[in-house]
């Protein structure tokens, strides 16, 4: 590998395993401000432990990274094609080493490339700058769960519980609040928002993501946007959505807003949602050698441990579940129960669910637990080893789940973010439950896996295959039971009531008066006729003024 490739590989590895200090501080603040002994505080404890585990073992904090978003600024001395190839080689090597999960899928065939390379992956933005001696590269690893909660508004528009959002700063405020509310726990809250006011549909989303390269504790230089960011942080954390959507006080850890000019006919508000596993780092490289000179978003001192005590504190009230499960055992579970799952279970994501709708299962699923998980898997001496195993967002399986539960006799599905009314009805009819694991806690959950017993449907790729695993004391919370109760529906409805209370205007609709600097000089534009019928403009002003 070239020195440049080695530097990029180190950047990817560090970004995957270490959160930047501003994110750590925000999560630590959330951990200490949340009400103790609640489901949200339990989730934050697991998250803190997971962050520590990832740092100690140099394992992925979260296995998901839909968006490997690289920003490259260089003096233009290297050919972009050479830079791109170096970046591609580093991404492929990081994947081989288990720092990244294979996440690049052909949209037509469904085939996973296996190395995170393909049209559109990784996402790289090149930009030249005037520094002839250094190259700056920034990286964000953004998961698919939070990517799915990105949202774009075309205003004016009607928003549930908030009414009409106009083309004003107050209309923008409503759009951002709605973006927080619609995400609930599906984007692994507590989350951070990057927002763009204006632009077109493409530039708006791009500029919104670029806001995520700002640190969470900076101050927007635009006073209006600074006031908006501050308001969203305070108001968003009053909605009661909480960590993982369990209810609670910590829903947002950041909101960063930028603005672009727009066409008169369009007014877009674009929101890029990122999760608590806000993986963002950067490096400055020597332009001539590719050697790493210094880090961005990182402090010199070692990060202090975040966890306070055991990650999932035991109270003695936990319900132990030994798979396979009986209907009688499952029917006794109630919403809010904390469970510890042991025994043999199976993973199954989008491809597995689509397959099971048309085919028999390759394994017996009667009484089983189906885990919505796409793990990072290494193969050592012919044996598989799972190194990251956090849950994926379950709502994607809503079109299939109830039918699959009934058809195959599944007793529990486990994932994150909850599921909808159709699945809830299916759980009640079939005698099954939904177990909510802690999103992003990839290291924490991999420690609960004792052995990989086998794999089926590997042709779908590592994340989408059906992995047969033996687990011990895998912790989760019953958030949808077999009696028609759903914590997700309860939080959704309660937060909607709180959202409606924020509908009244906060920011004035009148634009602020333009304040001219004391030394500003006024000019008028006078038309002059030029040859060939052209009209040009001349600036005219008081004597001695330079236009």
């Amino acid at each position: 590998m070239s020195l440049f490739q080695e530097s990029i590989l180190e950047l990817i590895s560090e970004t995957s395993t270490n959160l930047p200090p501003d994110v750590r501080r925000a999560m630590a603040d959330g951990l200490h401000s949340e009400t103790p002994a609640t489901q949200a505080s339990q989730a934050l404890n697991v998250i803190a432990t997971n962050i520590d585990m990832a740092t100690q073992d140099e394992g992925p904090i979260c296995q998901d990274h839909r968006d490997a978003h690289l920003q490259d600024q260089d003096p233009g001395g290297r050919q972009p094609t050479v830079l791109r190839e170096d970046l591609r080689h580093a991404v492929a090597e990081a994947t081989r080493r288990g720092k990244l999960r294979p996440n690049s899928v052909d949209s037509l065939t469904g085939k996973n490339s296996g190395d995170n390379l393909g049209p559109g992956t990784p996402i790289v933005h090149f930009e030249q700058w005037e520094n002839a001696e250094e190259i700056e590269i920034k990286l964000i690893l953004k998961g698919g769960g939070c990517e799915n909660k990105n949202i774009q508004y075309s205003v004016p528009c009607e928003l549930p519980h908030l009414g009409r959002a106009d083309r004003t700063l107050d209309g923008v405020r409503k759009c951002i609040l709605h973006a927080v509310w619609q995400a609930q726990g599906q984007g692994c809250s507590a989350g951070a928002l990057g927002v763009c006011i204006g632009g077109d549909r493409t530039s708006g989303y791009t500029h919104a993501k670029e806001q995520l390269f700002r640190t969470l504790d900076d101050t927007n230089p635009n006073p209006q946007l600074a006031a908006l960011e501050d308001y969203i942080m305070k108001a968003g954390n009053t909605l009661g959505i909480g960590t993982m959507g369990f209810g609670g006080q910590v829903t947002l850890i950041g909101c960063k807003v930028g603005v672009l000019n727009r066409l008169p006919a369009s007014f877009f508000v674009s929101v890029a949602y990122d999760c608590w596993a806000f993986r963002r780092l950067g490096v400055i490289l020597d332009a001539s050698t590719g050697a790493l000179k210094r880090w961005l978003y990182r402090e010199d001192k070692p990060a202090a441990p975040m966890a306070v005590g055991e990650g999932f504190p035991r109270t003695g009230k936990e319900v132990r579940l030994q798979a396979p499960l009986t209907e009688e055992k499952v029917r006794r579970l109630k919403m809010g129960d904390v469970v510890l799952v042991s025994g043999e279970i199976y993973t199954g994501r989008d491809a597995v669910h689509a397959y099971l709708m048309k085919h028999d299962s390759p394994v017996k699923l009667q009484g089983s637990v189906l885990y919505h998980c796409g793990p990072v898997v290494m193969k050592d001496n012919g044996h598989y080893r799972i190194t990251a195993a956090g849950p994926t967002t379950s709502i994607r399986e809503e079109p299939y789940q109830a039918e699959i539960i009934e058809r195959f006799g599944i007793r529990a599905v486990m994932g994150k973010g909850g599921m909808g009314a159709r699945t809830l009805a299916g759980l009640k009819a079939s005698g099954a439950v939904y177990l909510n694991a802690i999103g992003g806690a990839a290291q924490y959950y991999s420690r609960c896996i004792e052995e990989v017993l086998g794999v089926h449907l590997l042709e779908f790729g590592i994340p989408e295959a059906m992995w047969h695993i033996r687990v011990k004391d895998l912790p989760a919370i019953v958030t949808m039971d077999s009696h028609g109760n759903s914590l997700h529906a309860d939080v959704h409805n309660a937060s909607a009531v709180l959202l409606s209370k924020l509908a009244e205007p906060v920011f004035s609709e009148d634009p602020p008066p333009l304040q001219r600097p004391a030394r500003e000089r006024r000019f008028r534009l006078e038309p002059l006729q030029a040859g060939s019928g052209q009209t040009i403009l001349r600036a005219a002003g008081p004597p001695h003024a330079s236009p």
Side-chain angles (χ1 to χ4, degrees):
M1 297 182 72
S2 69
L3 196 54
F4 183 82
Q5 290 176 23
E6 290 179 2
S7 297
I8 300 305
L9 177 60
E10 187 173 355
L11 169 62
I12 295 171
S13 300
E14 286 295 307
T15 307
S16 174
T17 58
N18 283 296
L19 289 182
D22 60 306
V23 179
R24 282 177 165 269
R25 285 191 291 268
M27 291 305 297
D29 289 345
L31 179 64
H32 292 102
S33 64
E34 188 56 81
T35 304
T38 60
Q39 293 162 340
S41 68
Q42 285 180 313
L44 284 165
N45 275 316
V46 171
I47 287 171
T49 303
N50 183 79
I51 293 171
D52 291 344
M53 287 177 173
T55 304
Q56 294 162 7
D57 295 348
E58 298 183 350
I61 295 170
C62 171
Q63 69 266 24
D64 199 5
H65 68 282
R66 158 62 187 88
D67 193 353
H69 193 95
L70 286 147
Q71 280 196 342
D72 181 296
Q73 294 194 99
D74 65 72
R78 299 169 64 100
Q79 291 293 328
T81 53
V82 176
L83 283 169
R84 192 178 295 275
E85 279 307 303
D86 283 339
L87 290 164
R88 286 168 56 85
H89 282 300
V91 167
E93 179 61 19
T95 306
R96 189 188 69 80
R97 296 186 184 186
K99 303 300 183 182
L100 299 175
R101 183 180 70 186
N103 254 18
S104 181
V105 175
D106 187 299
S107 296
L108 298 180
T109 66
K111 182 176 175 58
N112 193 310
S113 69
D115 57 7
N116 276 308
L117 302 182
T121 53
I123 299 169
V124 183
H125 298 274
F126 289 102
E127 184 178 322
Q128 289 190 358
W129 65 354
E130 294 180 356
N131 189 333
E133 299 179 352
E134 296 180 336
I135 297 173
E136 177 185 277
I137 299 180
K138 298 177 180 179
L139 172 64
I140 284 181
L141 298 177
K142 189 171 184 292
C146 57
E147 183 74 3
N148 286 340
K149 301 317 295 184
N150 292 352
I151 192 167
Q152 191 173 67
Y153 303 87
S154 178
V155 292
C157 62
E158 288 288 330
L159 298 175
H161 313 294
L162 288 168
R164 190 179 70 245
D166 293 315
R167 294 183 172 188
T168 62
L169 196 60
D170 209 71
V172 171
R173 174 191 71 89
K174 288 184 177 182
C175 290
I176 301 174
L177 286 175
H178 182 267
V180 177
W181 178 74
Q182 61 88 36
Q184 292 290 308
Q186 295 171 18
C188 285
S189 57
L193 306 180
V195 181
C196 175
I197 305 169
D200 61 19
R201 288 199 180 275
T202 302
S203 65
Y205 264 135
T206 300
H207 196 62
K209 284 189 177 181
E210 288 173 352
Q211 301 310 303
L212 298 173
F213 283 109
R214 292 170 51 193
T215 58
L216 297 181
D217 49 10
D218 75 357
T219 300
N220 199 310
N222 183 312
Q224 287 180 288
L225 299 185
L228 177 62
E229 291 174 356
D230 184 61
Y231 169 86
I232 293 296
M233 284 297 298
K234 292 175 180 176
N237 284 322
T238 67
L239 293 176
I241 296 169
T243 303
M244 292 297 124
F246 291 163
Q249 302 178 49
V250 186
T251 300
L252 283 182
I253 56 172
C255 177
K256 302 299 170 184
V257 184
V259 62
L260 294 178
N261 278 17
R262 61 179 177 84
L263 292 170
S266 302
F267 194 122
F268 297 112
V269 179
S270 308
V271 181
Y273 187 98
D274 208 346
C275 59
W276 69 260
F278 191 160
R279 293 154 289 170
R280 179 226 315 120
L281 285 176
V283 289
I284 300 293
L285 307 181
D286 185 288
S288 60
T289 66
L292 198 158
K293 296 179 68 173
R294 61 186 182 276
W295 287 90
L296 304 174
Y297 308 112
R298 201 167 82 163
E299 297 173 345
D300 293 334
K301 60 182 179 181
M306 284 193 60
V308 179
E310 187 182 358
F312 206 98
R314 308 291 171 86
T315 65
K317 297 180 180 180
E318 294 80 16
V319 179
R320 294 188 174 276
L321 298 178
Q322 182 71 35
L325 307 175
T326 65
E327 181 177 354
E328 179 185 10
K329 179 78 171 180
V330 168
R331 291 282 187 188
R332 288 201 296 266
L333 295 173
K334 300 291 190 297
M335 184 185 77
D337 285 344
V338 176
V339 301
L340 300 172
V341 179
S342 298
E344 297 181 20
I345 69 173
Y346 298 90
T347 70
R349 283 173 34 119
D350 305 64
V352 167
H353 282 74
Y355 179 88
L356 293 178
M357 291 293 286
K358 301 177 182 178
H359 305 86
D360 290 334
S361 172
V363 296
K364 183 180 179 181
L365 292 174
Q366 184 70 37
S368 66
V369 177
L370 187 61
Y371 185 21
H372 297 162
C373 171
V376 174
V377 183
M378 305 296 291
K379 196 170 186 178
D380 300 326
N381 299 320
H383 297 283
Y384 289 113
R385 177 171 56 90
I386 291 178
T387 61
T392 196
T393 308
S394 297
I395 196 64
R396 301 195 308 270
E397 320 311 342
E398 180 69 8
Y400 319 117
Q401 198 67 81
E403 183 174 338
I404 288 173
I405 288 171
E406 179 184 14
R407 181 178 173 189
F408 295 101
I410 294 169
R411 291 295 169 208
V413 291
M414 182 164 65
K416 70 177 177 73
M419 304 192 73
R422 185 176 178 183
T423 298
L424 185 61
L427 298 175
K428 185 176 182 179
S430 298
V433 292
Y434 177 82
L435 308 177
N436 204 122
I438 308 305
Q443 291 304 306
Y444 191 94
Y445 281 102
S446 69
R447 305 287 183 93
C448 300
I449 298 174
E450 294 186 316
E451 185 180 2
V452 178
L453 300 173
V455 60
H456 305 274
L457 306 176
L458 191 55
E459 61 269 24
F460 294 151
I462 287 175
E464 295 288 340
M466 178 180 271
W467 294 92
H468 182 190
I469 56 179
R470 182 187 295 116
V471 300
K472 183 177 181 180
D473 291 345
L474 194 72
I477 297 173
V478 178
T479 53
M480 300 170 68
D481 63 24
S482 61
H483 309 287
N485 302 306
S486 169
L487 174 65
H488 309 284
D490 291 350
V491 172
H492 181 275
N493 295 334
S495 60
V497 173
L498 296 173
L499 182 67
S500 66
K501 295 180 179 180
L502 302 175
E504 291 301 314
V506 173
F507 297 100
S508 171
E509 294 187 8
D510 297 325
L514 294 176
Q515 301 293 331
R516 293 189 179 89
R519 291 190 175 184
E520 184 183 53
R521 300 179 186 270
R522 297 187 182 184
F523 298 93
R524 66 182 183 275
L525 296 177
E526 298 178 341
L528 291 175
Q529 291 301 318
S532 304
Q534 293 178 316
T535 299
I536 60 175
L537 296 175
R538 178 185 70 182
H544 311 298
S546 265

